[in-house]
Amino acid sequence: QGESSFSTNGSQSLLTRYPNGAFASLASADAYIETMCPFVQMNGKLAGIVVGGNFTSLGGQAAQGIALFDPNSTTITPLPGLSGRVSSVYCDHTSGTVYVGGSFSGGNSTNAIAWITGWTNLPFAGFNGPVTSITKAPSGNIIFAGSFDGLGNTTTPVNRDMQVINVASGIITSGSSSLTAGFSDPRNIICKTAAQDGPGNSWLLADATPGYWQAKFQFGFRPTKLRLYNTLEANRGTKTFRVTALPINGIMNFTTGGADGRTVACDAFCTLPENNSTYQDFHFVNPIGMNGLRIDILDWYGNGGGLSGIELFQDDIYSFAITEFNEPQCDDVSRGANSTATGPWTVTPSGNSSSEYLTATLTGPNLSFASAQVVFQPDIKQSGNYSVTVYTPGCVQDNSCPTRGRVNITGIMGSGTRTANQPVTTELFQTNYYDKYDQVYFGYIDANSESFRPTVTLSPSIGQTGPLTVVAQRVRFEPIASTGGLNGLFEYNPNLAIVDTDFSKSAIDTAGMSLQAGALINSLAVHDKNLYVAGNFSTGSFSNIFSIADQNATTLPGGGLNSEVLSMFQNGSMLYVGGNFTNTRDNNSQGLNGVAVYSVSDNAWQPLGAGVDGVVFDIVPLTLNVTANQPELVITVNGNFNTVNAFGSNASFSVNNFAVWVPSRKNWLHNLNTNSISVGGQLVTQTDVPGYDPLFAGSISSQALGASDAVALSGSGQPSLQSLGVNITATQASMSPVAKRAISGQN
């Protein structure tokens, strides 16, 4: 008997286990599953398992980053409304609330939100940076951790309406245009001003006739300001007009400056001043997404209406792979955005995506960065902190799923004057079924200058063999604003309707501020009255892990660990940690290579043998019958490593990113004499399920060997499982490192 849910294309599965210990897939995702928790409502009923990650499809259902899994029927229910990646969920059964964190937007919040019977904004509107872990403190308050320094959403730039939309790239049409030579073309007014009025620079309507000017685009946008120049042609001018968004056909509401200097509102009947030598700005009251607009001219001055200039602005800063979609150099407002594509790129229709995009089909062995490349160059007008997001069109709409693979993203964000000009590099899978959004950078970006412009380069990752389909659409640069005053930790009291921004009242918030600026918190754990905090940070007395208890931050033995901690798993008084460390901060604890356990009762670090020869990403528990008919907990260690190190009388042995530690034997399962099941791949997370057996997530290939007491499954819903004596060992299947950790390496 063999069961497989193994994948090397970045996708993962919800997993259960057969009675012989083999893993079986319950639902496949098109990308990573990063977090799960059982959603128990206040009436005690299990609503399902909340599953989060950066997937766009789960169990064949379109689901953007989060969904609900029914363990009885194995059905998937998407929870629509978020755009981005979910990295952490915490199900609080006492309030019937699911707290959700990650790198996303939804409702009026960014990076943190709650689900009860639908999405509910938290009173602090989220955070200005990613959330990586959520837990409940001994006090009952909810603790959020990640890479942020303030509350609030991230979408409020200091200067508004700074990005110019490329109107010239649209399909421009008109109705009832004048037949006078030089005034009939509706494209005349693009990137023009009243100072350029006249033939070839103005567009006029026929005498005494209403008409329209219309633009449709091959990309979506969200305009915040419309700038119009009235024509100065003698006895001509537009008096009243309305703007309709396409394709929804909604009439837009605006505010604009009145003749007396006061702000006035308009919707179906907006007015342009007569003989105005400059522009009139109309600010969208409720900016919405659209891919076109129509200006209907309803009344006019003199003989007929007309315009001599139009510009559209937005807050969003984008660079498109199709350079015609990029911000133009228009009216001395902008330097213009740009992109450069090299390689066999062709334009692909937008389909269900937000815009057309470029596609490269590559063939041959040993593809490299040079096989195809797009360099995105945004127009960054103000230096500051930004979130950079790469948009990837789904593969279902263009039938490219079988040939999609991995891409390398490299960014230059600083000129070297304030920020380092070293490249930021990460890897993304493009195997998503539907459109997805990956944050590739969070931090400071220098503004454009005569000598510097930020760049983001997309190219195929090395080591792949064709046929390979690579897509490139757009990159967003999102300015970050916040309240400030935080540093990776925030304590939230759900019983208060208004958040107290005096963060010094919280020992947890204060502990975060004691860390160096830009601290990254990867994982939280709670034991008794202690909150354990782990990540990539340091102070004068501890590094990368510490505890908070009795309103005080306390160092762990040895001053913590000497490099980043990526994950924790707490089992009673034993706290298992994985990461990139090799010792304690003071270098007095040997054998802590990538993985270790902290004994709370002994206040001491203990090695797992001598660790592994690489980085541990995730620590996931399993129950096995290591001794016949005696189930016990074992610890799976998952990451990027090839060898389990030798210790005592035990020789080193080869693995492929996966190993199992047996706490009762203080040894690796490989070194024990038991029956065996070979396993390749990795586990990422696990959750207990009330009334059912645990669920797992990851990418696992398993094949039962020598399991004489395997039994057939019967009944409906999730199989009822019993752990039998097995030896889980790694196969030699190739497995790429889990790319979800790439962002943490930037801090």
Side-chain angles (χ1 to χ4, degrees):
Q1 172 185 312
E3 295 296 330
S4 177
S5 61
F6 178 69
S7 173
T8 59
N9 68 354
S11 62
Q12 294 180 346
S13 298
L14 281 176
L15 304 168
T16 187
R17 293 168 62 210
Y18 284 120
N20 69 342
F23 288 90
S25 175
L26 295 173
S28 294
D30 62 349
Y32 304 126
I33 297 171
E34 300 184 40
T35 181
M36 299 188 293
C37 68
F39 182 20
V40 178
Q41 298 171 315
M42 293 186 67
N43 61 8
K45 180 181 178 182
L46 177 66
I49 307 303
V50 181
V51 182
N54 73 337
F55 50 81
T56 68
S57 172
L58 181 64
Q61 298 284 327
Q64 184 61 248
I66 190 165
L68 198 64
F69 173 75
D70 185 337
N72 183 53
S73 64
T74 69
T75 57
I76 302 291
T77 302
L79 303 180
L82 302 186
S83 296
R85 169 183 182 173
V86 173
S87 301
S88 181
V89 293
Y90 180 82
C91 295
D92 182 20
H93 69 274
T94 60
S95 64
T97 301
V98 182
Y99 294 95
V100 181
S103 177
F104 57 77
S105 60
N108 293 319
S109 297
T110 55
N111 304 325
I113 199 168
W115 175 277
I116 302 176
T117 57
W119 293 117
T120 301
N121 292 309
L122 296 167
F124 50 89
F127 300 93
N128 72 330
V131 172
T132 52
S133 187
I134 307 172
T135 194
K136 193 171 187 176
S139 65
N141 291 341
I142 303 300
I143 311 302
F144 294 86
S147 179
F148 50 80
D149 61 17
L151 303 176
N153 66 52
T154 66
T155 58
T156 307
V158 175
N159 299 314
R160 306 295 300 270
D161 315 318
M162 295 296 289
Q163 185 88 357
V164 179
I165 297 169
N166 195 339
V167 176
S169 67
I171 301 171
I172 311 299
T173 57
S174 63
S176 302
S177 295
S178 171
L179 299 180
T180 303
F183 293 97
S184 62
D185 188 351
R187 298 188 68 88
N188 285 350
I189 64 174
I190 298 173
C191 266
K192 302 291 178 63
T193 69
Q196 301 167 302
D197 213 7
N201 293 308
S202 296
W203 166 74
L204 302 180
L205 288 176
D207 289 355
T209 305
Y212 68 87
W213 183 98
Q214 180 173 286
K216 291 185 176 181
F217 303 89
Q218 300 303 309
F219 59 93
F221 55 94
R222 190 172 177 267
T224 55
K225 184 173 71 176
L226 169 67
R227 175 171 290 178
L228 293 177
Y229 297 82
N230 213 344
T231 181
L232 298 179
E233 286 297 302
N235 205 29
R236 295 274 179 176
T238 294
K239 186 175 183 179
T240 60
F241 68 95
R242 72 167 58 106
V243 175
T244 302
L246 303 176
I248 64 172
N249 292 319
I251 296 175
M252 295 292 94
N253 299 326
F254 295 100
T255 59
T256 188
D260 57 0
R262 293 185 300 175
T263 298
V264 297
C266 67
D267 44 34
F269 298 94
C270 295
T271 302
L272 268 181
E274 185 178 13
N275 296 321
N276 191 7
S277 61
T278 184
Y279 55 80
Q280 185 79 10
D281 283 344
F282 296 85
H283 296 270
F284 289 77
V285 174
N286 298 303
I288 62 171
M290 60 185 76
N291 61 16
L293 57 79
R294 184 177 69 250
I295 301 174
D296 289 291
I297 297 176
L298 309 173
D299 198 4
W300 48 89
Y301 301 105
N303 294 331
L307 296 168
S308 64
I310 182 172
E311 292 175 273
L312 274 173
F313 299 81
Q314 62 183 2
D315 289 340
D316 299 333
I317 301 173
Y318 286 105
S319 178
F320 288 87
I322 299 176
T323 193
E324 290 80 9
F325 296 169
N326 280 315
E327 179 189 48
Q329 293 180 329
C330 186
D331 189 20
D332 297 325
V333 173
S334 72
R335 296 175 180 269
N338 191 25
S339 63
T340 304
T342 56
W345 298 99
T346 58
V347 175
T348 300
S350 59
N352 295 323
S353 189
S354 60
S355 74
E356 293 182 341
Y357 53 94
L358 296 182
T359 299
T361 302
L362 308 177
T363 59
N366 301 321
L367 298 175
S368 69
F369 297 154
S371 301
Q373 190 175 89
V374 175
V375 180
F376 298 88
Q377 295 181 313
D379 181 20
I380 303 294
K381 295 181 176 66
Q382 58 190 64
S383 298
N385 290 316
Y386 288 80
S387 172
V388 180
T389 303
V390 172
Y391 288 70
T392 305
C395 63
V396 170
Q397 63 184 8
D398 60 13
N399 297 313
S400 63
C401 295
T403 57
R404 291 280 190 99
R406 295 172 286 117
V407 295
N408 183 77
I409 305 294
T410 302
I412 303 292
M413 305 302 180
S415 63
T417 56
R418 171 170 174 168
T419 57
N421 57 0
Q422 295 300 314
V424 174
T425 301
T426 190
E427 184 179 73
L428 301 177
F429 281 92
Q430 294 197 325
T431 52
N432 47 292
Y433 291 169
Y434 307 100
D435 285 12
K436 73 166 181 172
Y437 325 94
D438 287 295
Q439 183 188 67
V440 297
Y441 178 75
F442 174 81
Y444 197 84
I445 299 182
D446 283 328
N448 290 6
S449 66
E450 295 297 331
S451 59
F452 172 76
R453 169 167 280 190
T455 62
V456 171
T457 301
L458 182 151
S459 58
S461 296
I462 60 174
Q464 300 179 94
T465 299
L468 176 70
T469 300
V470 179
V471 294
Q473 187 184 63
R474 56 179 174 153
V475 180
R476 182 181 185 182
F477 298 77
E478 190 174 19
I480 295 169
S482 76
T483 60
L486 296 174
N487 190 26
L489 284 172
F490 175 63
E491 181 179 12
Y492 167 58
N493 185 343
N495 298 315
L496 298 180
I498 299 176
V499 172
D500 187 349
T501 55
D502 183 0
F503 303 128
S504 64
K505 296 178 181 178
S506 166
I508 293 171
D509 297 351
T510 301
M513 288 304 298
S514 71
L515 308 176
Q516 91 280 5
L520 170 62
I521 311 300
N522 289 321
S523 186
L524 300 172
V526 174
H527 175 65
D528 290 338
K529 296 182 179 180
N530 293 281
L531 173 69
Y532 293 91
V533 180
N536 187 6
F537 52 78
S538 66
T539 69
S541 57
F542 57 78
S543 296
N544 303 309
I545 188 169
F546 67 98
S547 68
I548 303 174
D550 299 324
Q551 302 298 305
N552 293 308
T554 304
T555 183
L556 269 59
L561 297 166
N562 65 359
S563 192
E564 184 174 12
V565 177
L566 292 168
S567 62
M568 293 192 291
F569 168 68
Q570 178 259 328
N571 180 43
S573 63
M574 307 300 284
L575 183 66
Y576 293 87
V577 299
N580 197 31
F581 49 84
T582 58
N583 207 317
T584 53
R585 172 171 161 162
D586 63 8
N587 288 318
N588 285 329
S589 296
Q590 301 299 318
L592 310 184
N593 295 295
V595 63
V597 59
Y598 168 67
S599 171
V600 176
S601 56
D602 296 333
N603 190 30
W605 289 105
Q606 299 174 8
L608 272 63
V612 298
D613 70 341
V615 182
V616 172
F617 296 148
D618 299 290
I619 296 175
V620 181
L622 288 176
T623 301
L624 293 178
N625 283 359
V626 179
T627 302
N629 300 319
Q630 294 182 8
E632 64 179 272
L633 185 82
V634 300
I635 303 299
T636 71
V637 177
N638 308 264
N640 185 16
F641 51 89
N642 299 312
T643 303
V644 172
N645 298 326
F647 72 101
S649 61
N650 298 281
S652 64
F653 57 92
S654 297
V655 293
N656 191 30
N657 306 318
F658 182 92
V660 179
W661 177 258
V662 183
S664 66
R665 304 290 188 91
K666 296 184 178 181
N667 207 333
W668 298 101
L669 192 58
H670 175 276
N671 296 329
L672 305 179
N673 184 22
T674 64
N675 294 332
S676 65
I677 289 179
S678 296
V679 174
Q682 294 182 332
L683 292 174
V684 174
T685 188
Q686 173 264 3
T687 186
D688 291 329
V689 183
Y692 297 86
D693 293 285
L695 287 180
F696 302 86
S699 185
I700 290 290
S701 174
S702 58
Q703 173 69 44
L705 301 175
S708 60
D709 50 356
V711 297
L713 299 175
S714 62
S716 60
Q718 184 186 6
S720 177
L721 306 181
Q722 295 179 358
S723 299
L724 302 182
V726 294
N727 177 7
I728 299 183
T729 59
T731 66
Q732 295 303 309
S734 175
M735 183 66 179
S736 298
V738 180
K740 73 174 185 177
R741 303 297 183 186
I743 292 177
S744 67
Q746 300 168 6
N747 293 276

